[in-house]
mmCIF file with all atom_site columns, all heavy atoms in Angstrom:
data_model
loop_
_atom_site.group_PDB
_atom_site.id
_atom_site.type_symbol
_atom_site.label_atom_id
_atom_site.label_alt_id
_atom_site.label_comp_id
_atom_site.label_asym_id
_atom_site.label_entity_id
_atom_site.label_seq_id
_atom_site.pdbx_PDB_ins_code
_atom_site.Cartn_x
_atom_site.Cartn_y
_atom_site.Cartn_z
_atom_site.occupancy
_atom_site.B_iso_or_equiv
_atom_site.pdbx_formal_charge
_atom_site.auth_seq_id
_atom_site.auth_comp_id
_atom_site.auth_asym_id
_atom_site.auth_atom_id
_atom_site.pdbx_PDB_model_num
ATOM 1   N N   . GLN A 1 1  ? 33.861 -17.716 -0.242 1.00 92.00 ? 1  GLN A N   1
ATOM 2   C CA  . GLN A 1 1  ? 34.047 -16.358 -0.735 1.00 92.00 ? 1  GLN A CA  1
ATOM 3   C C   . GLN A 1 1  ? 33.697 -15.322 0.335  1.00 92.00 ? 1  GLN A C   1
ATOM 4   O O   . GLN A 1 1  ? 32.767 -15.513 1.116  1.00 92.00 ? 1  GLN A O   1
ATOM 5   C CB  . GLN A 1 1  ? 33.172 -16.120 -1.973 1.00 92.00 ? 1  GLN A CB  1
ATOM 6   C CG  . GLN A 1 1  ? 33.515 -17.030 -3.124 1.00 92.00 ? 1  GLN A CG  1
ATOM 7   C CD  . GLN A 1 1  ? 34.899 -16.795 -3.682 1.00 92.00 ? 1  GLN A CD  1
ATOM 8   O OE1 . GLN A 1 1  ? 35.272 -15.690 -3.993 1.00 92.00 ? 1  GLN A OE1 1
ATOM 9   N NE2 . GLN A 1 1  ? 35.678 -17.856 -3.791 1.00 92.00 ? 1  GLN A NE2 1
ATOM 10  N N   . ILE A 1 2  ? 34.437 -14.236 0.347  1.00 92.00 ? 2  ILE A N   1
ATOM 11  C CA  . ILE A 1 2  ? 34.192 -13.142 1.281  1.00 92.00 ? 2  ILE A CA  1
ATOM 12  C C   . ILE A 1 2  ? 32.987 -12.349 0.790  1.00 92.00 ? 2  ILE A C   1
ATOM 13  O O   . ILE A 1 2  ? 32.978 -11.913 -0.367 1.00 92.00 ? 2  ILE A O   1
ATOM 14  C CB  . ILE A 1 2  ? 35.394 -12.191 1.374  1.00 92.00 ? 2  ILE A CB  1
ATOM 15  C CG1 . ILE A 1 2  ? 36.663 -12.936 1.738  1.00 92.00 ? 2  ILE A CG1 1
ATOM 16  C CG2 . ILE A 1 2  ? 35.115 -11.056 2.350  1.00 92.00 ? 2  ILE A CG2 1
ATOM 17  C CD1 . ILE A 1 2  ? 37.913 -12.095 1.564  1.00 92.00 ? 2  ILE A CD1 1
ATOM 18  N N   . PRO A 1 3  ? 31.977 -12.122 1.627  1.00 91.00 ? 3  PRO A N   1
ATOM 19  C CA  . PRO A 1 3  ? 30.869 -11.258 1.205  1.00 91.00 ? 3  PRO A CA  1
ATOM 20  C C   . PRO A 1 3  ? 31.386 -9.847  0.904  1.00 91.00 ? 3  PRO A C   1
ATOM 21  O O   . PRO A 1 3  ? 32.220 -9.305  1.628  1.00 91.00 ? 3  PRO A O   1
ATOM 22  C CB  . PRO A 1 3  ? 29.936 -11.248 2.416  1.00 91.00 ? 3  PRO A CB  1
ATOM 23  C CG  . PRO A 1 3  ? 30.258 -12.509 3.152  1.00 91.00 ? 3  PRO A CG  1
ATOM 24  C CD  . PRO A 1 3  ? 31.735 -12.715 2.941  1.00 91.00 ? 3  PRO A CD  1
ATOM 25  N N   . LEU A 1 4  ? 30.905 -9.280  -0.191 1.00 85.00 ? 4  LEU A N   1
ATOM 26  C CA  . LEU A 1 4  ? 31.322 -7.932  -0.569 1.00 85.00 ? 4  LEU A CA  1
ATOM 27  C C   . LEU A 1 4  ? 30.521 -6.872  0.167  1.00 85.00 ? 4  LEU A C   1
ATOM 28  O O   . LEU A 1 4  ? 30.998 -5.761  0.373  1.00 85.00 ? 4  LEU A O   1
ATOM 29  C CB  . LEU A 1 4  ? 31.180 -7.737  -2.082 1.00 85.00 ? 4  LEU A CB  1
ATOM 30  C CG  . LEU A 1 4  ? 32.017 -8.680  -2.946 1.00 85.00 ? 4  LEU A CG  1
ATOM 31  C CD1 . LEU A 1 4  ? 31.747 -8.426  -4.419 1.00 85.00 ? 4  LEU A CD1 1
ATOM 32  C CD2 . LEU A 1 4  ? 33.489 -8.536  -2.632 1.00 85.00 ? 4  LEU A CD2 1
ATOM 33  N N   . GLY A 1 5  ? 29.307 -7.219  0.556  1.00 86.00 ? 5  GLY A N   1
ATOM 34  C CA  . GLY A 1 5  ? 28.462 -6.277  1.277  1.00 86.00 ? 5  GLY A CA  1
ATOM 35  C C   . GLY A 1 5  ? 28.165 -6.794  2.673  1.00 86.00 ? 5  GLY A C   1
ATOM 36  O O   . GLY A 1 5  ? 28.597 -7.889  3.052  1.00 86.00 ? 5  GLY A O   1
ATOM 37  N N   . PRO A 1 6  ? 27.437 -6.012  3.439  1.00 87.00 ? 6  PRO A N   1
ATOM 38  C CA  . PRO A 1 6  ? 27.099 -6.456  4.796  1.00 87.00 ? 6  PRO A CA  1
ATOM 39  C C   . PRO A 1 6  ? 26.122 -7.630  4.757  1.00 87.00 ? 6  PRO A C   1
ATOM 40  O O   . PRO A 1 6  ? 25.229 -7.672  3.914  1.00 87.00 ? 6  PRO A O   1
ATOM 41  C CB  . PRO A 1 6  ? 26.445 -5.220  5.418  1.00 87.00 ? 6  PRO A CB  1
ATOM 42  C CG  . PRO A 1 6  ? 25.978 -4.405  4.265  1.00 87.00 ? 6  PRO A CG  1
ATOM 43  C CD  . PRO A 1 6  ? 26.895 -4.701  3.119  1.00 87.00 ? 6  PRO A CD  1
ATOM 44  N N   . VAL A 1 7  ? 26.358 -8.595  5.640  1.00 91.00 ? 7  VAL A N   1
ATOM 45  C CA  . VAL A 1 7  ? 25.467 -9.748  5.761  1.00 91.00 ? 7  VAL A CA  1
ATOM 46  C C   . VAL A 1 7  ? 25.155 -9.958  7.233  1.00 91.00 ? 7  VAL A C   1
ATOM 47  O O   . VAL A 1 7  ? 25.967 -9.661  8.095  1.00 91.00 ? 7  VAL A O   1
ATOM 48  C CB  . VAL A 1 7  ? 26.086 -11.030 5.157  1.00 91.00 ? 7  VAL A CB  1
ATOM 49  C CG1 . VAL A 1 7  ? 26.264 -10.902 3.656  1.00 91.00 ? 7  VAL A CG1 1
ATOM 50  C CG2 . VAL A 1 7  ? 27.400 -11.380 5.803  1.00 91.00 ? 7  VAL A CG2 1
ATOM 51  N N   . SER A 1 8  ? 23.967 -10.490 7.485  1.00 91.00 ? 8  SER A N   1
ATOM 52  C CA  . SER A 1 8  ? 23.577 -10.696 8.876  1.00 91.00 ? 8  SER A CA  1
ATOM 53  C C   . SER A 1 8  ? 23.763 -12.141 9.320  1.00 91.00 ? 8  SER A C   1
ATOM 54  O O   . SER A 1 8  ? 23.688 -12.431 10.501 1.00 91.00 ? 8  SER A O   1
ATOM 55  C CB  . SER A 1 8  ? 22.117 -10.277 9.075  1.00 91.00 ? 8  SER A CB  1
ATOM 56  O OG  . SER A 1 8  ? 21.278 -11.029 8.214  1.00 91.00 ? 8  SER A OG  1
ATOM 57  N N   . GLY A 1 9  ? 23.986 -13.019 8.372  1.00 81.00 ? 9  GLY A N   1
ATOM 58  C CA  . GLY A 1 9  ? 24.119 -14.435 8.706  1.00 81.00 ? 9  GLY A CA  1
ATOM 59  C C   . GLY A 1 9  ? 25.498 -14.770 9.225  1.00 81.00 ? 9  GLY A C   1
ATOM 60  O O   . GLY A 1 9  ? 26.439 -13.978 9.106  1.00 81.00 ? 9  GLY A O   1
ATOM 61  N N   . PRO A 1 10 ? 25.633 -15.966 9.784  1.00 90.00 ? 10 PRO A N   1
ATOM 62  C CA  . PRO A 1 10 ? 26.924 -16.380 10.335 1.00 90.00 ? 10 PRO A CA  1
ATOM 63  C C   . PRO A 1 10 ? 27.928 -16.698 9.220  1.00 90.00 ? 10 PRO A C   1
ATOM 64  O O   . PRO A 1 10 ? 27.553 -17.180 8.155  1.00 90.00 ? 10 PRO A O   1
ATOM 65  C CB  . PRO A 1 10 ? 26.574 -17.640 11.126 1.00 90.00 ? 10 PRO A CB  1
ATOM 66  C CG  . PRO A 1 10 ? 25.360 -18.184 10.440 1.00 90.00 ? 10 PRO A CG  1
ATOM 67  C CD  . PRO A 1 10 ? 24.605 -16.983 9.943  1.00 90.00 ? 10 PRO A CD  1
ATOM 68  N N   . LEU A 1 11 ? 29.195 -16.425 9.494  1.00 94.00 ? 11 LEU A N   1
ATOM 69  C CA  . LEU A 1 11 ? 30.283 -16.747 8.574  1.00 94.00 ? 11 LEU A CA  1
ATOM 70  C C   . LEU A 1 11 ? 31.212 -17.732 9.266  1.00 94.00 ? 11 LEU A C   1
ATOM 71  O O   . LEU A 1 11 ? 31.435 -17.642 10.479 1.00 94.00 ? 11 LEU A O   1
ATOM 72  C CB  . LEU A 1 11 ? 31.057 -15.488 8.190  1.00 94.00 ? 11 LEU A CB  1
ATOM 73  C CG  . LEU A 1 11 ? 30.276 -14.398 7.461  1.00 94.00 ? 11 LEU A CG  1
ATOM 74  C CD1 . LEU A 1 11 ? 31.143 -13.164 7.259  1.00 94.00 ? 11 LEU A CD1 1
ATOM 75  C CD2 . LEU A 1 11 ? 29.734 -14.897 6.134  1.00 94.00 ? 11 LEU A CD2 1
ATOM 76  N N   . SER A 1 12 ? 31.774 -18.656 8.515  1.00 95.00 ? 12 SER A N   1
ATOM 77  C CA  . SER A 1 12 ? 32.703 -19.619 9.092  1.00 95.00 ? 12 SER A CA  1
ATOM 78  C C   . SER A 1 12 ? 33.942 -18.891 9.606  1.00 95.00 ? 12 SER A C   1
ATOM 79  O O   . SER A 1 12 ? 34.226 -17.755 9.217  1.00 95.00 ? 12 SER A O   1
ATOM 80  C CB  . SER A 1 12 ? 33.114 -20.652 8.045  1.00 95.00 ? 12 SER A CB  1
ATOM 81  O OG  . SER A 1 12 ? 33.941 -20.040 7.056  1.00 95.00 ? 12 SER A OG  1
ATOM 82  N N   . VAL A 1 13 ? 34.685 -19.552 10.451 1.00 94.00 ? 13 VAL A N   1
ATOM 83  C CA  . VAL A 1 13 ? 35.933 -18.991 10.982 1.00 94.00 ? 13 VAL A CA  1
ATOM 84  C C   . VAL A 1 13 ? 36.880 -18.657 9.832  1.00 94.00 ? 13 VAL A C   1
ATOM 85  O O   . VAL A 1 13 ? 37.540 -17.612 9.837  1.00 94.00 ? 13 VAL A O   1
ATOM 86  C CB  . VAL A 1 13 ? 36.593 -19.972 11.980 1.00 94.00 ? 13 VAL A CB  1
ATOM 87  C CG1 . VAL A 1 13 ? 37.971 -19.510 12.377 1.00 94.00 ? 13 VAL A CG1 1
ATOM 88  C CG2 . VAL A 1 13 ? 35.698 -20.163 13.197 1.00 94.00 ? 13 VAL A CG2 1
ATOM 89  N N   . GLU A 1 14 ? 36.916 -19.527 8.805  1.00 93.00 ? 14 GLU A N   1
ATOM 90  C CA  . GLU A 1 14 ? 37.797 -19.302 7.660  1.00 93.00 ? 14 GLU A CA  1
ATOM 91  C C   . GLU A 1 14 ? 37.418 -18.033 6.908  1.00 93.00 ? 14 GLU A C   1
ATOM 92  O O   . GLU A 1 14 ? 38.281 -17.229 6.548  1.00 93.00 ? 14 GLU A O   1
ATOM 93  C CB  . GLU A 1 14 ? 37.746 -20.501 6.711  1.00 93.00 ? 14 GLU A CB  1
ATOM 94  C CG  . GLU A 1 14 ? 38.262 -21.772 7.344  1.00 93.00 ? 14 GLU A CG  1
ATOM 95  C CD  . GLU A 1 14 ? 37.708 -23.014 6.682  1.00 93.00 ? 14 GLU A CD  1
ATOM 96  O OE1 . GLU A 1 14 ? 36.540 -23.008 6.251  1.00 93.00 ? 14 GLU A OE1 1
ATOM 97  O OE2 . GLU A 1 14 ? 38.451 -23.990 6.611  1.00 93.00 ? 14 GLU A OE2 1
ATOM 98  N N   . VAL A 1 15 ? 36.134 -17.841 6.663  1.00 94.00 ? 15 VAL A N   1
ATOM 99  C CA  . VAL A 1 15 ? 35.678 -16.652 5.946  1.00 94.00 ? 15 VAL A CA  1
ATOM 100 C C   . VAL A 1 15 ? 35.889 -15.408 6.809  1.00 94.00 ? 15 VAL A C   1
ATOM 101 O O   . VAL A 1 15 ? 36.270 -14.354 6.308  1.00 94.00 ? 15 VAL A O   1
ATOM 102 C CB  . VAL A 1 15 ? 34.214 -16.792 5.495  1.00 94.00 ? 15 VAL A CB  1
ATOM 103 C CG1 . VAL A 1 15 ? 33.687 -15.499 4.897  1.00 94.00 ? 15 VAL A CG1 1
ATOM 104 C CG2 . VAL A 1 15 ? 34.075 -17.940 4.485  1.00 94.00 ? 15 VAL A CG2 1
ATOM 105 N N   . GLN A 1 16 ? 35.680 -15.528 8.115  1.00 93.00 ? 16 GLN A N   1
ATOM 106 C CA  . GLN A 1 16 ? 35.932 -14.393 9.010  1.00 93.00 ? 16 GLN A CA  1
ATOM 107 C C   . GLN A 1 16 ? 37.394 -13.980 8.952  1.00 93.00 ? 16 GLN A C   1
ATOM 108 O O   . GLN A 1 16 ? 37.701 -12.781 8.919  1.00 93.00 ? 16 GLN A O   1
ATOM 109 C CB  . GLN A 1 16 ? 35.536 -14.743 10.441 1.00 93.00 ? 16 GLN A CB  1
ATOM 110 C CG  . GLN A 1 16 ? 34.045 -14.842 10.648 1.00 93.00 ? 16 GLN A CG  1
ATOM 111 C CD  . GLN A 1 16 ? 33.690 -15.305 12.060 1.00 93.00 ? 16 GLN A CD  1
ATOM 112 O OE1 . GLN A 1 16 ? 34.477 -15.211 12.987 1.00 93.00 ? 16 GLN A OE1 1
ATOM 113 N NE2 . GLN A 1 16 ? 32.485 -15.829 12.209 1.00 93.00 ? 16 GLN A NE2 1
ATOM 114 N N   . GLN A 1 17 ? 38.321 -14.956 8.919  1.00 91.00 ? 17 GLN A N   1
ATOM 115 C CA  . GLN A 1 17 ? 39.743 -14.627 8.826  1.00 91.00 ? 17 GLN A CA  1
ATOM 116 C C   . GLN A 1 17 ? 40.038 -13.919 7.509  1.00 91.00 ? 17 GLN A C   1
ATOM 117 O O   . GLN A 1 17 ? 40.753 -12.911 7.492  1.00 91.00 ? 17 GLN A O   1
ATOM 118 C CB  . GLN A 1 17 ? 40.607 -15.877 8.941  1.00 91.00 ? 17 GLN A CB  1
ATOM 119 C CG  . GLN A 1 17 ? 42.101 -15.568 8.854  1.00 91.00 ? 17 GLN A CG  1
ATOM 120 C CD  . GLN A 1 17 ? 42.956 -16.805 8.910  1.00 91.00 ? 17 GLN A CD  1
ATOM 121 O OE1 . GLN A 1 17 ? 42.613 -17.837 8.342  1.00 91.00 ? 17 GLN A OE1 1
ATOM 122 N NE2 . GLN A 1 17 ? 44.081 -16.705 9.589  1.00 91.00 ? 17 GLN A NE2 1
ATOM 123 N N   . LEU A 1 18 ? 39.488 -14.422 6.403  1.00 90.00 ? 18 LEU A N   1
ATOM 124 C CA  . LEU A 1 18 ? 39.687 -13.762 5.114  1.00 90.00 ? 18 LEU A CA  1
ATOM 125 C C   . LEU A 1 18 ? 39.117 -12.349 5.139  1.00 90.00 ? 18 LEU A C   1
ATOM 126 O O   . LEU A 1 18 ? 39.728 -11.417 4.612  1.00 90.00 ? 18 LEU A O   1
ATOM 127 C CB  . LEU A 1 18 ? 39.026 -14.572 3.995  1.00 90.00 ? 18 LEU A CB  1
ATOM 128 C CG  . LEU A 1 18 ? 39.621 -15.938 3.676  1.00 90.00 ? 18 LEU A CG  1
ATOM 129 C CD1 . LEU A 1 18 ? 38.754 -16.662 2.657  1.00 90.00 ? 18 LEU A CD1 1
ATOM 130 C CD2 . LEU A 1 18 ? 41.051 -15.816 3.193  1.00 90.00 ? 18 LEU A CD2 1
ATOM 131 N N   . ALA A 1 19 ? 37.952 -12.189 5.737  1.00 90.00 ? 19 ALA A N   1
ATOM 132 C CA  . ALA A 1 19 ? 37.330 -10.864 5.815  1.00 90.00 ? 19 ALA A CA  1
ATOM 133 C C   . ALA A 1 19 ? 38.184 -9.908  6.647  1.00 90.00 ? 19 ALA A C   1
ATOM 134 O O   . ALA A 1 19 ? 38.312 -8.728  6.302  1.00 90.00 ? 19 ALA A O   1
ATOM 135 C CB  . ALA A 1 19 ? 35.921 -10.980 6.388  1.00 90.00 ? 19 ALA A CB  1
ATOM 136 N N   . ASP A 1 20 ? 38.782 -10.417 7.720  1.00 89.00 ? 20 ASP A N   1
ATOM 137 C CA  . ASP A 1 20 ? 39.686 -9.576  8.521  1.00 89.00 ? 20 ASP A CA  1
ATOM 138 C C   . ASP A 1 20 ? 40.870 -9.119  7.680  1.00 89.00 ? 20 ASP A C   1
ATOM 139 O O   . ASP A 1 20 ? 41.251 -7.946  7.711  1.00 89.00 ? 20 ASP A O   1
ATOM 140 C CB  . ASP A 1 20 ? 40.185 -10.332 9.753  1.00 89.00 ? 20 ASP A CB  1
ATOM 141 C CG  . ASP A 1 20 ? 39.111 -10.541 10.801 1.00 89.00 ? 20 ASP A CG  1
ATOM 142 O OD1 . ASP A 1 20 ? 38.059 -9.865  10.736 1.00 89.00 ? 20 ASP A OD1 1
ATOM 143 O OD2 . ASP A 1 20 ? 39.316 -11.399 11.688 1.00 89.00 ? 20 ASP A OD2 1
ATOM 144 N N   . TRP A 1 21 ? 41.468 -10.046 6.943  1.00 88.00 ? 21 TRP A N   1
ATOM 145 C CA  . TRP A 1 21 ? 42.587 -9.666  6.070  1.00 88.00 ? 21 TRP A CA  1
ATOM 146 C C   . TRP A 1 21 ? 42.124 -8.664  5.014  1.00 88.00 ? 21 TRP A C   1
ATOM 147 O O   . TRP A 1 21 ? 42.834 -7.717  4.695  1.00 88.00 ? 21 TRP A O   1
ATOM 148 C CB  . TRP A 1 21 ? 43.174 -10.894 5.392  1.00 88.00 ? 21 TRP A CB  1
ATOM 149 C CG  . TRP A 1 21 ? 43.991 -11.774 6.269  1.00 88.00 ? 21 TRP A CG  1
ATOM 150 C CD1 . TRP A 1 21 ? 44.604 -11.427 7.445  1.00 88.00 ? 21 TRP A CD1 1
ATOM 151 C CD2 . TRP A 1 21 ? 44.294 -13.148 6.070  1.00 88.00 ? 21 TRP A CD2 1
ATOM 152 N NE1 . TRP A 1 21 ? 45.268 -12.515 7.975  1.00 88.00 ? 21 TRP A NE1 1
ATOM 153 C CE2 . TRP A 1 21 ? 45.099 -13.579 7.151  1.00 88.00 ? 21 TRP A CE2 1
ATOM 154 C CE3 . TRP A 1 21 ? 43.966 -14.062 5.080  1.00 88.00 ? 21 TRP A CE3 1
ATOM 155 C CZ2 . TRP A 1 21 ? 45.579 -14.874 7.254  1.00 88.00 ? 21 TRP A CZ2 1
ATOM 156 C CZ3 . TRP A 1 21 ? 44.445 -15.356 5.183  1.00 88.00 ? 21 TRP A CZ3 1
ATOM 157 C CH2 . TRP A 1 21 ? 45.243 -15.750 6.268  1.00 88.00 ? 21 TRP A CH2 1
ATOM 158 N N   . ALA A 1 22 ? 40.930 -8.865  4.471  1.00 87.00 ? 22 ALA A N   1
ATOM 159 C CA  . ALA A 1 22 ? 40.417 -7.981  3.421  1.00 87.00 ? 22 ALA A CA  1
ATOM 160 C C   . ALA A 1 22 ? 40.180 -6.567  3.942  1.00 87.00 ? 22 ALA A C   1
ATOM 161 O O   . ALA A 1 22 ? 40.321 -5.594  3.196  1.00 87.00 ? 22 ALA A O   1
ATOM 162 C CB  . ALA A 1 22 ? 39.134 -8.551  2.828  1.00 87.00 ? 22 ALA A CB  1
ATOM 163 N N   . ARG A 1 23 ? 39.819 -6.442  5.216  1.00 87.00 ? 23 ARG A N   1
ATOM 164 C CA  . ARG A 1 23 ? 39.614 -5.102  5.787  1.00 87.00 ? 23 ARG A CA  1
ATOM 165 C C   . ARG A 1 23 ? 40.924 -4.317  5.848  1.00 87.00 ? 23 ARG A C   1
ATOM 166 O O   . ARG A 1 23 ? 40.915 -3.101  5.964  1.00 87.00 ? 23 ARG A O   1
ATOM 167 C CB  . ARG A 1 23 ? 38.986 -5.206  7.178  1.00 87.00 ? 23 ARG A CB  1
ATOM 168 C CG  . ARG A 1 23 ? 37.478 -5.377  7.132  1.00 87.00 ? 23 ARG A CG  1
ATOM 169 C CD  . ARG A 1 23 ? 36.849 -5.221  8.509  1.00 87.00 ? 23 ARG A CD  1
ATOM 170 N NE  . ARG A 1 23 ? 36.991 -6.413  9.327  1.00 87.00 ? 23 ARG A NE  1
ATOM 171 C CZ  . ARG A 1 23 ? 36.256 -7.520  9.202  1.00 87.00 ? 23 ARG A CZ  1
ATOM 172 N NH1 . ARG A 1 23 ? 35.349 -7.587  8.271  1.00 87.00 ? 23 ARG A NH1 1
ATOM 173 N NH2 . ARG A 1 23 ? 36.446 -8.543  9.996  1.00 87.00 ? 23 ARG A NH2 1
ATOM 174 N N   . GLU A 1 24 ? 42.037 -5.022  5.762  1.00 87.00 ? 24 GLU A N   1
ATOM 175 C CA  . GLU A 1 24 ? 43.355 -4.380  5.778  1.00 87.00 ? 24 GLU A CA  1
ATOM 176 C C   . GLU A 1 24 ? 43.922 -4.280  4.363  1.00 87.00 ? 24 GLU A C   1
ATOM 177 O O   . GLU A 1 24 ? 45.113 -4.394  4.142  1.00 87.00 ? 24 GLU A O   1
ATOM 178 C CB  . GLU A 1 24 ? 44.308 -5.197  6.656  1.00 87.00 ? 24 GLU A CB  1
ATOM 179 C CG  . GLU A 1 24 ? 43.845 -5.388  8.071  1.00 87.00 ? 24 GLU A CG  1
ATOM 180 C CD  . GLU A 1 24 ? 44.667 -6.425  8.821  1.00 87.00 ? 24 GLU A CD  1
ATOM 181 O OE1 . GLU A 1 24 ? 45.359 -7.249  8.187  1.00 87.00 ? 24 GLU A OE1 1
ATOM 182 O OE2 . GLU A 1 24 ? 44.604 -6.416  10.059 1.00 87.00 ? 24 GLU A OE2 1
ATOM 183 N N   . THR A 1 25 ? 43.053 -4.070  3.391  1.00 85.00 ? 25 THR A N   1
ATOM 184 C CA  . THR A 1 25 ? 43.446 -4.110  1.991  1.00 85.00 ? 25 THR A CA  1
ATOM 185 C C   . THR A 1 25 ? 44.379 -2.970  1.615  1.00 85.00 ? 25 THR A C   1
ATOM 186 O O   . THR A 1 25 ? 44.158 -1.815  1.967  1.00 85.00 ? 25 THR A O   1
ATOM 187 C CB  . THR A 1 25 ? 42.195 -4.069  1.089  1.00 85.00 ? 25 THR A CB  1
ATOM 188 O OG1 . THR A 1 25 ? 41.395 -5.201  1.375  1.00 85.00 ? 25 THR A OG1 1
ATOM 189 C CG2 . THR A 1 25 ? 42.552 -4.070  -0.377 1.00 85.00 ? 25 THR A CG2 1
ATOM 190 N N   . ALA A 1 26 ? 45.422 -3.332  0.867  1.00 82.00 ? 26 ALA A N   1
ATOM 191 C CA  . ALA A 1 26 ? 46.355 -2.348  0.321  1.00 82.00 ? 26 ALA A CA  1
ATOM 192 C C   . ALA A 1 26 ? 45.688 -1.622  -0.841 1.00 82.00 ? 26 ALA A C   1
ATOM 193 O O   . ALA A 1 26 ? 44.926 -2.214  -1.602 1.00 82.00 ? 26 ALA A O   1
ATOM 194 C CB  . ALA A 1 26 ? 47.630 -3.037  -0.149 1.00 82.00 ? 26 ALA A CB  1
ATOM 195 N N   . ASP A 1 27 ? 45.976 -0.336  -0.977 1.00 80.00 ? 27 ASP A N   1
ATOM 196 C CA  . ASP A 1 27 ? 45.476 0.443   -2.111 1.00 80.00 ? 27 ASP A CA  1
ATOM 197 C C   . ASP A 1 27 ? 46.324 0.087   -3.323 1.00 80.00 ? 27 ASP A C   1
ATOM 198 O O   . ASP A 1 27 ? 47.524 0.353   -3.351 1.00 80.00 ? 27 ASP A O   1
ATOM 199 C CB  . ASP A 1 27 ? 45.560 1.930   -1.803 1.00 80.00 ? 27 ASP A CB  1
ATOM 200 C CG  . ASP A 1 27 ? 45.021 2.794   -2.927 1.00 80.00 ? 27 ASP A CG  1
ATOM 201 O OD1 . ASP A 1 27 ? 44.528 2.242   -3.945 1.00 80.00 ? 27 ASP A OD1 1
ATOM 202 O OD2 . ASP A 1 27 ? 45.095 4.025   -2.808 1.00 80.00 ? 27 ASP A OD2 1
ATOM 203 N N   . MET A 1 28 ? 45.703 -0.527  -4.305 1.00 76.00 ? 28 MET A N   1
ATOM 204 C CA  . MET A 1 28 ? 46.452 -0.981  -5.473 1.00 76.00 ? 28 MET A CA  1
ATOM 205 C C   . MET A 1 28 ? 46.094 -0.199  -6.734 1.00 76.00 ? 28 MET A C   1
ATOM 206 O O   . MET A 1 28 ? 46.443 -0.606  -7.834 1.00 76.00 ? 28 MET A O   1
ATOM 207 C CB  . MET A 1 28 ? 46.211 -2.476  -5.685 1.00 76.00 ? 28 MET A CB  1
ATOM 208 C CG  . MET A 1 28 ? 46.669 -3.300  -4.514 1.00 76.00 ? 28 MET A CG  1
ATOM 209 S SD  . MET A 1 28 ? 46.660 -5.095  -4.744 1.00 76.00 ? 28 MET A SD  1
ATOM 210 C CE  . MET A 1 28 ? 45.205 -5.439  -5.667 1.00 76.00 ? 28 MET A CE  1
#
């Protein structure tokens, strides 16, 4: 799952990719 808030711990490459996509979220 993508963290909803800021986190200081490491994220897997998969979660980082999802988080990158999430930062480009469409306004729905």
Side-chain angles (χ1 to χ4, degrees):
Q1 298 295 309
I2 305 168
L4 299 178
V7 294
S8 59
L11 298 175
S12 70
V13 171
E14 296 156 325
V15 173
Q16 289 175 20
Q17 180 182 39
L18 293 174
D20 289 344
W21 286 338
R23 277 190 281 282
E24 303 168 341
T25 299
D27 182 3
M28 299 189 321

